Amino acid sequence: MAYENFNVETDADGIALVTWDIPGKSMNVIDETSGAELAAIIEQMTSDAAVKGVVITSGKDAFCAGADLTMLERMNRTYAEMLSSQGEEVANKYVFDEARKLSQSFRNIEVGGKPWVAAINGTALGGGFELTLACHYRIASDNPKTRVGLPEVKVGIFPGGGGTQRLPRMMPTMDAVQMLFKGEAIDLKKAQDRGIIGEVVPAADLIQRAKDWIKVGGKAVAPWDEKGFKLPGGPVYSKEGAQFFQPAAAMLRRETYDNYPGARAILQCVYEGLQLPMDTALRVESRYFSKILRSNEAAAMIRSLFMSMQELNKGARRPPNVPPIKVKKIAVIGAGFMGASVGFVSAQAGIDVVLIDRDQDAADKGKGHSKANIDAAVSKGRMKRADGEAILSRITATADYNAISDCDLVIEAVFEDRKVKAETYAKAQPLLKEGAIFATNTSTLPINSLAEEWKDQSKFIGIHFFSPVEKMMLSEIIVGKNTGDVALATALDYVRQIKKTPIVVNDSRGFFANRCVMLFLFEGYEMLLEGVPPAMIENTAKMAGMPVGPLSLNDETALDLGLKILRATEADIGAQAINQDHKKLLVELVEKRGRLGRKNGKGFYDYPEKGKGQKKLWPELTTLQPKHLDPDTLDVEELKQRFLVVQAVEAARTVEDDVITDPREADVGSILGFGFPPFTGGTLSYIDFMGTKKFVEQCLKLEKKYGSRFTPPKLLIDMAAKNETFYGRFPPKKAAAA
Ligand code: NAD
């Protein structure tokens, strides 16, 4: 039988080689066609008496990237349609039956009576990895880039093709659950240590060795289908089981605050499944899977963290009239905290970098940052010395501005001071080569005002990096009113070259990300001044899903910087533009108590010396509170809500102000840029999934109690009246260069 996505060849020994190779795609994914063909192949292999065993491999560099998430999204849409047309029972059955198909196919491999070997020639993730787990043996070729794992939890779902059952039957329950919770993709050495991969062999020998395993009598029965099978981590109801499951439930709560139904379902599947025979256990997994797939959290995370992110990375916002640009050489002016890191990530991406500062020493210090990064990576075994040397050789440190004259892109990261920036622009302007672009990394100064220093404003743009640049995956590109298409296209192409995700926003004070996250920090000040115990402020923010509390985040970004920004805003727009109580609080902390944040070991927290314990909330903080509320009288749900609503309503204002023109950018930007809870799908999805009407009601309730920071903008009120969503009213633009 001929298949579209698979090639099947049976050799003289009766061993079939199934090669997965979806035509026209760079990666194999499990979609409707591949899934159906795979089911047919499994049936054919099982029923064909001439086939003695099966080796499955891939014709691509990687084995399989996992399930096609757009297929899951389609399933969800069909579910919604069926729900309204045929009712809940029929719709639920549809999702369950669909979820069951793949799991059943994999089980058919396991119990079909023929030995199957997975010849893993490259990375195998998600459903692709689950397919290999259902095979009776796994051999991998020794490719250092290969990773195996189950990353589903990262998009709000979990492995529904047997992964939650097979892994804890192969390794101690704790290791399996950790791997499932973290969505970790591990290398072959770890996979071998954990007993997932049997052998690692040279690529040229892979298929032969897989066939040999069958020829020498490889068993066509999984260990758990044999009599006397013992779980590696012990039965659920045993001393070992009790030692694991009770703390595991507590750990899950500590890590997720129960905001992620997908993560909870992993533990439920493992707990219930390990008490059952495999077939029933797999049905249990499918039930949970179909339930999680229908959750808002899964829909929101798949949309924002997979589809939207992919679309933005593919250049959804790129002007289609500009041909692709490969940035070969950049200059970074200002080799300080940010500039040095921008230089490093660029050189790491193969771009030549000139680091310019006021004098040679300062420029050298900037390059020294790259050396320190490289030394640390080499000593941890994460980088080869030669690769590190190659990165360093691409960086030139100098105080001479003439060095920018052959650069495709210049990024300015000098002090956040209009005068200093203007001086830099005056010096750089005449030296730019034809077609080169100039970007500023300012975090607060409006781009349009800085553009006034430029003769040709079309080449001026903002590229806002987030600190630490090496870790943060977002870059916010700010388009001024006269920024040209070439500047935008260059900025987007450069951001992709350094492997960050770009969002494109229009100019405004604080742009998008800082506007929203500032309100999160301010809400922390507000609660402090109201008398909420500091620990409760921090904990409720984390319970709401933020990665850290507002006081902690403030310490990281530095309290003196916060004060500086308040003062600059006051100077630019007037005293009414800021909250004077916030300023007073910061003046007290920074100027009277010398508390600058983590950088001097004293902020809202006290920081012990390195290696000497953990940070602790500064005990005297409560003395700065004008009053103290009894925690038992506080409404925890309302505190949580305030943190998210205050950021989301600001995000809605950025849409009204035309700073955000595409909802995907607010969503992806808020998750990657400042850790808005991923399970919500981002600031605007948070509103969409709640329902605009309900969100406006919440805003009005909070406005009445706490003031105008919760006042919903007109746009939201209008949308609520028409029952509109952001994605409905502002449909995302199609990718120009898919
Ligand atoms: P920094 O003080 O660490 O670095 C600034 C560097 O610019 C210094 O090395 C200084 O010597 C150099 N410099 C000053 N004038 C110069 C000139 N005329 N020519 C060449 N070099 C000059 O500051 P930073 O924190 O790296 O901030 C730089 C820019 O990045 C600012 O605009 C800031 O708003 C922005 N930014 C900072 C962060 C952050 O978290 N610190 C985040 C995003 C953006």
Side-chain angles (χ1 to χ4, degrees):
M1 205 189 297
Y3 299 96
E4 196 185 319
N5 300 307
F6 295 85
N7 184 32
V8 183
E9 275 172 38
T10 309
D11 67 12
D13 297 318
I15 299 176
L17 176 65
V18 178
T19 308
W20 193 357
D21 198 353
I22 303 184
K25 282 201 179 167
S26 59
M27 284 263 201
N28 292 323
V29 288
I30 300 175
D31 54 12
E32 287 94 337
T33 340
S34 275
E37 288 191 348
L38 195 58
I41 290 170
I42 296 163
E43 211 183 302
Q44 185 197 340
M45 298 293 113
T46 309
S47 59
D48 186 345
V51 172
K52 304 287 176 249
V54 186
V55 173
I56 183 160
T57 191
S58 142
K60 315 273 187 211
D61 290 344
F63 184 83
C64 171
D68 175 4
L69 291 179
T70 59
M71 168 181 79
L72 299 185
E73 215 224 356
R74 278 193 294 280
M75 251 166 80
N76 245 342
R77 247 183 285 143
T78 311
Y79 165 77
E81 281 159 28
M82 288 178 96
L83 188 65
S84 64
S85 62
Q86 300 178 54
E88 198 177 356
E89 204 176 321
V90 179
N92 285 354
K93 186 165 179 329
Y94 157 77
V95 182
F96 176 73
D97 288 346
E98 286 300 313
R100 194 84 194 104
K101 276 186 192 162
L102 200 64
S103 177
Q104 190 60 60
S105 288
F106 293 170
R107 182 62 176 155
N108 291 344
I109 290 179
E110 208 164 54
V111 296
K114 307 268 171 83
W116 279 65
V117 182
I120 303 172
N121 58 310
T123 291
L125 298 175
F129 180 49
E130 289 180 293
L131 163 63
T132 72
L133 293 179
C135 292
H136 303 99
Y137 194 56
R138 284 153 296 281
I139 305 186
S141 58
D142 60 355
N143 177 352
K145 288 196 186 138
T146 298
R147 295 287 177 276
V148 295
L150 299 165
E152 287 86 343
V153 75
K154 292 185 179 165
V155 286
I157 51 176
F158 71 88
T164 67
Q165 299 309 310
R166 292 192 177 94
L167 271 193
R169 283 170 171 81
M170 290 176 153
M171 60 177 82
T173 324
M174 167 121 79
D175 294 347
V177 168
Q178 285 250 346
M179 204 171 153
L180 291 158
F181 270 172
K182 286 193 195 154
E184 194 187 17
I186 55 175
D187 61 23
L188 290 175
K189 161 115 190 29
K190 266 196 191 150
Q192 238 184 330
D193 291 348
R194 290 183 194 176
I196 305 172
I197 304 267
E199 290 170 59
V200 178
V201 302
D205 302 342
L206 181 67
I207 304 300
Q208 194 50 52
R209 292 288 281 270
K211 288 185 171 181
D212 288 348
W213 187 84
I214 295 171
K215 279 196 233 163
V216 299
K219 243 187 182 177
V221 184
W224 40 90
D225 288 321
E226 293 202 276
K227 255 206 152 133
F229 170 69
K230 286 201 168 49
L231 287 166
V236 172
Y237 283 96
S238 67
K239 201 170 135 208
E240 297 97 312
Q243 272 169 354
F244 171 70
F245 280 101
Q246 289 186 13
M251 258 160 50
L252 173 73
R253 281 213 155 248
R254 191 187 64 189
E255 298 297 323
T256 69
Y257 294 93
D258 213 11
N259 285 323
Y260 293 84
R264 182 175 3 133
I266 288 174
L267 202 55
Q268 288 168 313
C269 285
V270 174
Y271 176 76
E272 292 177 33
L274 290 189
Q275 301 177 57
L276 297 166
M278 195 61 166
D279 286 299
T280 324
L282 290 171
R283 281 185 78 80
V284 168
E285 183 193 67
S286 297
R287 287 231 180 277
Y288 277 113
F289 187 72
S290 62
K291 183 174 160 204
I292 295 304
L293 204 55
R294 285 177 276 132
S295 68
N296 281 349
E297 289 83 354
M301 286 174 82
I302 289 175
R303 181 168 75 184
S304 294
L305 290 172
F306 179 73
M307 297 205 289
S308 298
M309 207 152 107
Q310 204 171 53
E311 286 153 13
L312 296 180
N313 285 339
K314 278 186 181 167
R317 294 296 307 283
R318 197 182 180 284
N321 54 331
V322 184
I325 292 156
K326 188 156 190 251
V327 173
K328 293 197 191 73
K329 187 170 184 184
I330 67 164
V332 181
I333 306 182
F337 177 67
M338 293 298 284
S341 293
V342 171
F344 174 68
V345 297
S346 304
Q348 211 178 14
I351 300 171
D352 288 326
V353 176
V354 189
L355 270 184
I356 301 174
D357 211 295
R358 289 177 293 184
D359 53 50
Q360 188 64 42
D361 275 0
D364 287 341
K365 199 167 156 234
K367 182 168 174 178
H369 172 75
S370 290
K371 183 159 186 322
N373 277 353
I374 290 165
D375 288 348
V378 170
S379 76
K380 285 181 190 147
R382 290 200 195 124
M383 192 185 278
K384 288 198 189 114
R385 176 56 69 191
D387 294 340
E389 291 303 329
I391 295 173
L392 273 187
S393 73
R394 282 193 279 275
I395 305 175
T396 311
T398 179
D400 181 4
Y401 271 59
N402 285 307
I404 70 174
S405 61
D406 61 347
C407 292
D408 309 307
L409 168 70
V410 181
I411 299 172
E412 168 271 302
V414 300
F415 300 136
E416 188 74 338
D417 178 320
R418 266 178 202 290
K419 255 175 71 194
V420 179
K421 293 204 189 281
E423 279 165 26
T424 313
Y425 301 166
K427 273 168 84 175
Q429 255 178 101
L431 297 170
L432 280 188
K433 80 168 182 186
E434 180 71 27
I437 295 308
F438 194 99
T440 173
N441 180 41
T442 178
S443 40
T444 50
L445 303 169
I447 298 294
N448 287 330
S449 63
L450 294 176
E452 283 166 18
E453 305 294 332
W454 285 81
K455 271 204 206 93
D456 178 2
Q457 296 188 8
S458 71
K459 55 176 71 156
F460 186 70
I461 195 162
I463 304 182
H464 180 209
F465 289 91
F466 293 80
S467 112
V469 178
E470 286 83 353
K471 282 207 183 123
M472 298 295 283
M473 292 317 297
L474 187 77
S475 282
E476 191 175 22
I477 295 177
I478 304 109
V479 177
K481 61 179 191 288
N482 294 321
T483 300
D485 280 357
V486 174
L488 175 56
T490 309
L492 280 165
D493 291 352
Y494 161 71
V495 167
R496 284 309 298 147
Q497 263 177 270
I498 58 168
K499 297 196 173 69
K500 308 247 178 245
T501 294
I503 61 167
V504 180
V505 307
N506 288 324
D507 195 20
S508 99
R509 185 170 285 271
F511 318 125
F512 167 71
N514 283 350
R515 258 178 83 163
C516 297
V517 77
M518 277 297 213
L519 287 180
F520 172 61
L521 299 182
F522 291 168
E523 207 53 32
Y525 300 160
E526 289 292 333
M527 289 181 187
L528 205 58
L529 297 171
E530 280 165 30
V532 180
M536 203 161 172
I537 300 175
E538 296 291 85
N539 287 336
T540 46
K542 285 193 279 182
M543 286 163 76
M546 295 300 291
V548 291
L551 306 178
S552 191
L553 181 62
N554 229 203
D555 275 359
E556 296 299 327
T557 54
L559 305 191
D560 56 332
L561 180 70
L563 181 58
K564 236 180 177 168
I565 293 174
L566 284 186
R567 285 193 168 133
T569 311
E570 192 174 23
D572 276 5
I573 332 181
Q576 80 295 341
I578 64 159
N579 184 316
Q580 294 298 332
D581 292 333
H582 295 178
K583 185 173 140 191
K584 243 169 68 190
L585 176 68
L586 287 180
V587 167
E588 178 71 32
L589 282 159
V590 173
E591 289 172 359
K592 304 208 176 124
R593 313 282 181 126
R595 305 192 74 89
L596 309 184
R598 184 192 274 281
K599 66 180 179 188
N600 78 336
K602 295 188 292 184
F604 287 111
Y605 286 78
D606 278 329
Y607 295 83
E609 274 173 49
K610 226 178 175 178
K612 291 198 180 152
Q614 287 185 336
K615 68 178 185 183
K616 286 204 175 69
L617 276 161
W618 178 42
E620 282 176 52
L621 186 54
T622 49
T623 64
L624 302 188
Q625 291 184 283
K627 56 187 172 194
H628 300 101
L629 297 173
D630 173 1
D632 287 337
T633 63
L634 291 169
D635 180 348
V636 169
E637 285 309 311
E638 189 186 89
L639 292 173
K640 283 165 62 181
Q641 217 175 59
R642 282 169 62 181
F643 282 125
L644 301 193
V645 170
V646 82
Q647 297 178 75
V649 76
E650 186 66 10
R653 287 183 202 117
T654 64
V655 178
E656 185 172 78
D657 298 350
D658 202 35
V659 172
I660 287 287
T661 56
D662 184 324
R664 291 174 299 188
E665 285 166 326
D667 277 344
V668 173
S670 58
I671 297 174
L672 298 190
F674 52 96
F676 194 81
F679 71 86
T680 63
T683 39
L684 296 182
S685 281
Y686 173 68
I687 301 175
D688 274 7
F689 278 99
M690 185 188 297
T692 323
K693 196 157 169 263
K694 191 167 162 212
F695 182 77
V696 167
E697 281 164 15
Q698 277 196 4
C699 288
L700 294 173
K701 193 186 86 194
L702 293 172
E703 178 194 21
K704 212 163 156 192
K705 268 177 106 168
Y706 300 104
S708 63
R709 62 187 186 279
F710 290 103
T711 309
K714 268 210 190 78
L715 169 72
L716 263 184
I717 293 173
D718 184 51
M719 286 172 60
K722 295 179 185 153
N723 208 9
E724 284 179 333
T725 60
F726 280 99
Y727 281 76
R729 181 157 170 156
F730 305 95
K733 295 172 190 69
K734 287 262 169 292

